[in-house]
């Protein structure tokens, strides 16, 4: 009897596929296989082995088994099963999200290093002084001769300048050769460069609480003001894991944060950190992933997809900046890495720490319900003072590129005192609106309900929603009158401040200036090296970075978010203000924060500034309990979009009627906040329930429906469970 197994294949279908296996090798869940699929072959993962197909069905055989042992162990597979069910997402796509590209494509799970060696002919050439006129080649061969066991690319990069050309040339001449060797994991411990700090009493209490369960499951909310030493608590908890031979997985929201965090961790922990994020090459990622799976890497730091990385000896999970929306994937497989991390910690029976200076209301609610332990760090660590916050009433002052006179004066004072200043505006480009001086027509995207932003450097208009580019205009398309610019983006702030403060080097950090791979890291290094005096940036610059010389933060526009239709807008606004303000005065120098607003007495702003984030969150919580939005309910959104808007609307209405007949109430269909995007009209249907269980059973019925009720051609739908983005 052949084995029958179900395979998850990377196709957008809500199902798994049964195959037969006739081979000798035992087949286990979590192994990769190659199978015939349609007219081609595909790589899949053995999802489960208990399939019993319909008796009259003839199954195709598996072509090849790619792994000797499962690539994903039982608890890792359990996480994928859970995620596929919870988010109602095709299992094959879930499995694909868990694997690094190299392994997804079916390549060998053993990573090999290429080594360079000298040949006997090379030895002779050196001895016979044949290379005195080819200095680089000679230097390379000397280096290879001194390391007869072979030399890695990293060693060559470090020690031999111009090695690449020299290696090519000497290889052509038969003086050197390359060979392959199975890569050895290089995460060995060294002596930590720096000893642990002695913790203050709040930190010590938090650390003790995390370690108290003696490795048992527990969720700990580490709620600490910016600069309160949360990272120090993480570090000391990780040290305990290292001593016990256990691994720690650390999730961070931004790629930009990983190199900095990893450096700090390496200095303090004395081990090499395995990094998992999208700025790495495919092979670097695969190495780190396999090292984690084998248990060679003791500490893994990664962005959201790292939540799936297999761990041979898990001891602790940490989610830094747990409130951050980029922990949730916003398209395709829309999972929340923090929520999956909590599920995973429970399954692995290890403690998990959720750290933030501005916890999400969901997490605070769980803490209030005693599902999570609430640990607070109320003081900045090491004697740093909290920054002084002040609101500038934009109705009272003249502005230049959105910068008020008092802000300019304060900037000048800080700059003259030799300090660094950070100016925050979450809008890139030069100006967000190009408007006619006569008829007030605004330049808009042809594909979206959106205005075009002028990018002065690139000399074009750009839609920030679909990426479309248009030529710059001087005259209105409707009435030919001249146009003018309204509003400000970081590019305009950059040019205005450069003109105002020509003697102080300015660095702008936004997604326009950091497109190249690795440029975010080098920009942050430049921001810290002391030469740059003025930093202008979007939210990329606001998060978690330690910028010790910054003493003044100017928030140019606090009003984005006051009047949004999204029920999360004010939570997000407060988090951003607190996070960006937290960049000020993190070292010995006291910090100052200026917040510009047209609504200086807005109750949200005054609560936040007078009483802090906790008080603000408490007010927001009571508001949510009245409106019934999460965390007081559980929601999912079914999106549909089509060039023919009526088709999308009809599709959702049909779904809604059927759900209704089954006793499930769905709200809508309503047009999305941005109704037209990339030429498609968008609608959505909202499911809202009191309990998570009720939402899950409604979703089970909904997905069954979606299998049957195929939409009309041209209608695309997607489902977002626990959505974070706007309605
Ligand atoms: P957070 O992660 O909460 O923003 P960090 O862990 O980065 O805070 O700490 C902020 C600063 O305070 C860092 O420079 C850190 O070295 C220092 N620090 C943290 N804990 C202590 C302590 N117990 N004693 C002295 N300095 C500390
Ligand atoms: Zn557009």
């Amino acid at each position: 009897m052949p084995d029958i197994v179900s395979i998850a294949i990377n196709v957008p279908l809500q199902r798994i596929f049964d195959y037969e296996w006739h081979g000798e090798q035992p087949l286990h869940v979590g192994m990769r296989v190659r199978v015939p699929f349609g007219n081609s072959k595909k790589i899949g993962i053995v999802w489960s082995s208990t399939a019993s197909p319909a008796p009259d069905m003839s199954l195709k055989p598996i072509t090849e088994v790619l792994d000797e042992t499962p690539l994903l162990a039982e608890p890792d597979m359990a996480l994928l099963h859970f995620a596929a069910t919870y988010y109602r997402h095709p299992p094959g796509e879930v499995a694909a999200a868990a694997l690094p590209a190299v392994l997804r494509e079916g390549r060998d799970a053993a990573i090999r290093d290429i080594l360079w060696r000298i040949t006997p002919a090379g030895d002779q050439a050196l001895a016979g002084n044949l290379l005195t006129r080819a200095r680089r080649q000679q230097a390379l061969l000397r280096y290879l001769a001194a390391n007869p066991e072979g030399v890695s690319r990293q060693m060559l990069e470090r020690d031999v300048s111009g090695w690449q050309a020299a290696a090519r040339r000497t290889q052509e001449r038969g003086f050197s050769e390359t060979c392959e060797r199975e890569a050895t994991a290089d995460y060995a411990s060294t002596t930590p460069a720096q000893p642990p700090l002695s913790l203050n009493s709040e930190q010590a209490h938090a650390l003790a609480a995390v370690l108290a369960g003696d490795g048992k499951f527990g969720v700990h909310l580490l709620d600490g003001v910016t600069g309160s030493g949360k990272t120090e608590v993480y570090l000391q908890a990780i040290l305990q894991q290292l001593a016990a031979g256990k691994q720690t997985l650390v999730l961070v929201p931004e790629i930009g944060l990983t190199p900095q965090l990893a450096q700090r961790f390496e200095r303090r922990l004395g081990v090499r950190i395995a990094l998992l994020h999208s700025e790495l090459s495919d092979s670097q990622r695969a190495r780190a992933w396999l090292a984690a799976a084998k248990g060679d890497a003791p500490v893994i730091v990664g962005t959201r997809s790292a939540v799936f990385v297999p761990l041979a000896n898990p001891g602790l999970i940490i989610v830094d900046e747990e409130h951050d929306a980029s922990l949730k994937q916003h398209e395709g497989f829309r999972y929340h890495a923090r929520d999956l991390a909590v599920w995973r910690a429970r399954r692995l029976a290890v403690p998990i720490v959720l750290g933030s200076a501005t916890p999400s209301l969901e997490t605070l609610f769980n803490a209030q319900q005693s599902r999570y332990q609430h640990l607070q760090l109320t003081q900045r660590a090491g004697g740093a003072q909290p920054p002084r916050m002040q609101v500038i009433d934009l109705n009272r002052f003249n502005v230049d590129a959105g910068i008020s006179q008092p802000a300019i004066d304060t900037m000048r004072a800080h700059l003259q005192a030799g300090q660094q200043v950070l100016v925050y505006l979450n809008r890139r480009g030069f100006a967000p609106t190009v408007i006619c001086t006569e008829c007030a027509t605004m330049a808009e995207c042809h594909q979206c309900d959106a205005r075009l932003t002028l990018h002065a450097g690139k000399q074009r208009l750009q839609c920030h929603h679909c990426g479309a580019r248009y030529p710059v205009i001087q005259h209105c398309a409707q009435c030919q009158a001249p146009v003018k610019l309204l509003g400000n983006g970081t590019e305009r702030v950059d040019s205005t401040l450069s003109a105002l403060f020509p003697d102080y080097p300015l660095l702008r950090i936004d997604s326009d200036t950091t497109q190249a791979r690795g440029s975010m890291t080098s920009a942050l290094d430049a921001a810290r090296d002391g030469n740059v005096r003025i930093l202008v940036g979007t939210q990329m610059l606001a998060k978690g970075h330690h910028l010790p010389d910054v003493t003044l933060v100017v928030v140019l526009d606090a009003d984005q978010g006051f009047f949004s239709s999204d029920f999360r807008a004010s939570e997000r606004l407060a988090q951003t203000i607190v996070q960006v303000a937290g960049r000020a005065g993190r070292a010995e120098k006291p910090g100052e924060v200026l917040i510009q607003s047209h609504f200086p007495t807005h109750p949200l702003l005054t609560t936040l500034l007078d009483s802090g984030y906790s008080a603000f969150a408490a007010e927001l919580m009571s508001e949510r309990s009245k409106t019934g939005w999460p965390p007081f309910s559980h929601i999912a959104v079914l999106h549909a979009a089509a060039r023919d808007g009526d088709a999308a609307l009809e599709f959702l209405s049909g779904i809604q009627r059927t759900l209704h007949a089954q006793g499930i109430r769905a709200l809508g269909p309503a047009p999305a906040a941005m109704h037209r995007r990339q030429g498609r009209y968008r609608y959505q249907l909202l499911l809202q329930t009191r309990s998570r269980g009720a939402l899950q059973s409604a979703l089970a019925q909904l997905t069954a429906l979606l299998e049957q009720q195929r939409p009309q051609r041209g209608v695309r739908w997607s489902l977002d469970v626990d959505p974070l983005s706007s309605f």
Side-chain angles (χ1 to χ4, degrees):
M1 269 292 282
D3 286 336
I4 292 163
V5 289
S6 305
I7 309 290
I9 298 172
N10 189 3
V11 290
L13 295 172
Q14 278 286 0
R15 50 167 300 202
I16 42 182
F17 300 87
D18 293 343
Y19 286 87
E20 288 178 359
W21 173 235
H22 300 274
E24 294 286 299
Q25 187 191 340
L27 204 55
H28 295 291
V29 168
M31 287 179 171
R32 291 172 304 160
V33 293
R34 198 184 305 276
V35 292
F37 189 85
N39 294 326
S40 65
K41 292 247 161 39
K42 285 200 182 286
I43 308 288
I45 292 240
V46 181
W47 190 254
S48 55
S49 58
T50 52
S52 47
D56 57 340
M57 274 232 307
S58 72
L59 297 179
K60 287 189 186 157
I62 289 169
T63 312
E64 187 187 359
V65 178
L66 300 180
D67 299 308
E68 278 167 26
T69 55
L71 204 51
L72 293 153
E74 199 271 325
D76 310 323
M77 289 303 293
L79 177 67
L80 300 188
H81 283 214
F82 170 76
T85 310
Y86 185 85
Y87 293 105
R88 307 280 152 187
H89 198 77
E93 292 190 353
V94 171
L99 296 180
V102 169
L103 300 174
R104 206 185 304 148
E105 289 154 10
R107 263 180 280 164
D108 200 344
I111 298 282
R112 289 185 175 74
D113 271 335
I114 294 179
L115 295 184
W116 280 260
R117 280 192 308 217
I118 191 165
T119 59
D123 283 326
Q124 283 172 11
L126 269 187
N129 279 328
L130 293 184
L131 289 165
T132 41
R133 271 183 296 157
R135 287 264 196 72
R136 290 239 153 111
Q137 293 176 45
Q138 188 180 37
L140 173 72
L141 288 187
R142 286 217 173 107
Y143 187 75
L144 296 181
N147 297 281
E149 68 288 353
V151 167
S152 68
R153 174 180 295 267
Q154 288 91 322
M155 291 169 74
L156 290 168
E157 302 238 305
R158 189 188 60 204
D159 295 335
V160 186
S161 68
W163 69 274
Q164 269 171 317
R168 201 174 333 112
R169 201 60 200 106
T170 53
Q171 201 164 347
E172 283 162 9
R173 301 171 74 179
F175 297 157
S176 73
E177 62 185 8
T178 57
C179 61
E180 282 192 354
R181 181 188 64 183
E182 182 151 350
T184 48
D186 184 19
Y187 297 94
S189 36
T190 57
T191 317
Q194 294 165 353
L197 301 175
S198 77
L199 298 180
N200 63 36
S201 64
E202 287 181 328
Q203 285 174 312
H205 170 74
L207 179 67
V210 172
L211 299 174
D214 204 22
K216 283 205 275 299
F217 170 69
V219 189
H220 307 277
L221 163 58
L222 186 58
D223 175 1
V225 299
T226 53
S228 61
K230 294 184 288 298
T231 312
E232 189 61 32
V233 175
Y234 303 157
L235 282 166
Q236 301 206 15
I238 298 170
L239 280 172
Q240 297 289 327
Q241 308 308 314
L242 291 177
K246 296 275 179 72
Q247 291 172 290
T248 305
L249 172 62
V250 184
L251 298 178
V252 293
E254 289 285 309
I255 301 165
L257 288 174
T258 46
Q260 194 193 346
L261 196 74
Q263 258 180 28
R264 187 168 165 197
F265 276 27
E266 284 182 353
R267 274 201 306 273
R268 287 290 307 281
L269 300 171
V271 294
R272 235 186 78 209
I273 308 295
L275 286 180
L276 283 169
H277 61 74
S278 60
E279 277 201 352
L280 302 172
S281 70
D282 286 350
S283 81
Q284 284 173 316
R285 248 198 320 259
R287 267 160 206 259
W289 195 92
L290 289 165
K294 282 202 266 176
D296 293 336
V299 182
I300 302 98
V301 175
T303 45
R304 64 181 171 241
S305 68
V307 72
F308 298 110
V309 72
L311 301 167
N313 292 305
L316 174 68
I317 301 180
I318 294 168
V319 182
D320 193 23
E321 313 288 355
E322 70 79 33
H323 65 278
D324 198 296
S326 53
L327 287 166
K328 170 114 201 241
Q329 179 132 313
H330 288 289
E331 54 192 25
F333 172 27
R334 296 169 159 84
Y335 64 95
H336 200 309
R338 173 200 63 208
D339 297 347
L340 287 181
V342 170
W343 190 91
R344 190 175 184 197
R346 185 194 307 273
R347 183 65 171 66
L348 294 172
V350 300
I352 177 167
V353 180
L354 307 180
S356 177
T358 52
S360 65
L361 289 206
E362 279 80 358
T363 296
L364 284 171
F365 186 68
N366 278 320
Q368 279 174 14
Q369 306 281 306
S370 304
R371 280 194 288 267
Y372 297 177
Q373 186 177 22
H374 197 165
L375 303 166
Q376 278 170 294
L377 307 180
T378 56
Q379 308 290 322
R380 279 196 162 182
Q385 294 302 305
R388 219 179 63 216
M389 312 250 261
Q390 207 182 324
V391 182
I392 296 179
D393 182 354
L394 282 179
N395 305 302
R396 288 181 47 213
F397 299 101
N398 287 332
V399 293
D400 186 358
I403 315 161
S404 67
Q405 195 56 47
I408 290 170
D409 295 341
T410 315
M411 282 184 73
R412 181 171 290 115
H414 281 255
L415 291 168
Q416 283 173 351
Q419 325 275 37
Q420 204 177 28
V421 173
L422 188 160
V423 179
Y424 171 80
L425 178 64
N426 202 22
R427 204 187 289 120
R428 64 200 173 83
F430 193 84
T433 305
V434 180
I435 189 169
C436 174
T437 48
E438 287 291 329
C439 72
T441 300
M442 291 179 275
E444 288 188 346
C445 180
H446 299 168
Q447 300 287 317
C448 310
D449 292 333
R451 291 176 208 162
L452 296 175
T453 298
L454 172 69
H455 285 254
K458 298 205 173 104
Q459 273 301 300
R460 64 186 180 219
L461 301 177
Q462 206 173 309
C463 173
H464 285 180
H465 300 276
C466 71
R469 295 163 183 183
Y470 300 82
V472 174
I473 53 167
Q474 308 296 340
H475 299 279
C476 174
Q478 302 297 326
C479 74
Q480 316 311 321
V483 294
K484 66 173 180 181
L485 303 173
L486 281 186
N488 310 289
T490 44
E491 202 184 5
R492 189 176 212 173
V493 173
D494 174 342
S495 77
T496 302
L497 288 178
S498 298
L500 268 172
F501 298 111
D503 299 336
Y504 299 99
L506 179 150
L507 179 67
R508 170 159 62 93
I509 299 187
D510 57 29
S511 54
D512 293 324
T513 63
T514 54
Q515 264 164 8
R517 181 177 278 198
S519 57
M520 180 66 190
T521 309
S522 46
L524 283 168
D525 287 344
R528 270 190 294 270
D529 83 353
N531 185 26
V532 171
R533 312 295 343 158
I534 305 174
L535 292 165
V536 174
T538 55
Q539 43 125 9
M540 292 183 96
L541 190 56
K543 292 179 182 173
H545 304 294
H546 194 57
L547 301 165
D549 290 337
V550 170
T551 54
L552 173 66
V553 166
V554 184
V555 177
L556 285 187
D557 182 2
D559 300 340
Q560 296 175 313
F562 275 160
F563 305 103
S564 167
S565 62
D566 188 339
F567 71 89
R568 277 185 232 270
S570 40
E571 176 183 350
R572 215 164 280 142
L573 172 70
Q575 287 164 342
T576 304
I577 289 179
V578 173
Q579 292 289 342
V580 69
R583 301 311 112 217
R586 284 174 63 86
E588 305 79 54
K589 306 164 189 161
E592 191 174 351
V593 180
L594 300 180
I595 297 172
Q596 300 194 141
S597 171
H598 285 101
F599 309 94
T601 56
H602 195 292
L604 289 176
L605 207 51
T606 43
T607 307
L608 184 64
L609 299 196
D610 295 348
S611 317
Y613 181 82
S614 296
F616 172 86
E619 276 190 15
L620 219 50
M621 192 76 88
S622 80
E623 202 177 283
R624 294 262 183 102
S625 86
K626 288 183 202 117
T627 56
W629 284 118
F632 296 91
S633 63
H634 296 270
I635 57 178
V637 174
L638 179 64
H639 300 272
R643 292 193 181 278
D644 171 9
D646 289 343
L649 191 59
E650 261 166 44
F651 169 67
L652 290 182
S653 301
I655 296 280
Q656 184 187 36
R657 278 195 299 277
T658 320
L659 282 176
H660 197 250
Q662 298 177 1
I664 296 167
R665 203 163 63 97
L667 304 171
M674 178 175 290
H675 187 29
R676 188 177 53 123
R677 181 171 173 165
Q678 273 191 301
R680 292 195 170 72
Y681 292 88
R682 304 148 79 227
Y683 290 89
Q684 49 206 19
L685 203 57
L686 175 70
L687 288 180
Q688 187 172 28
T689 61
R690 296 293 298 193
S691 75
R692 202 181 284 287
L695 184 66
Q696 281 297 316
S697 53
L699 285 171
Q701 283 173 272
L702 174 61
T703 20
L705 257 186
L706 289 168
E707 293 280 292
Q708 298 155 12
Q709 300 199 0
R710 290 288 154 89
Q712 209 177 308
R713 275 178 74 85
V715 177
R716 295 184 192 167
W717 62 263
S718 62
L719 185 59
D720 194 349
V721 179
D722 304 335
L724 286 188
S725 44
S726 76
F727 292 91

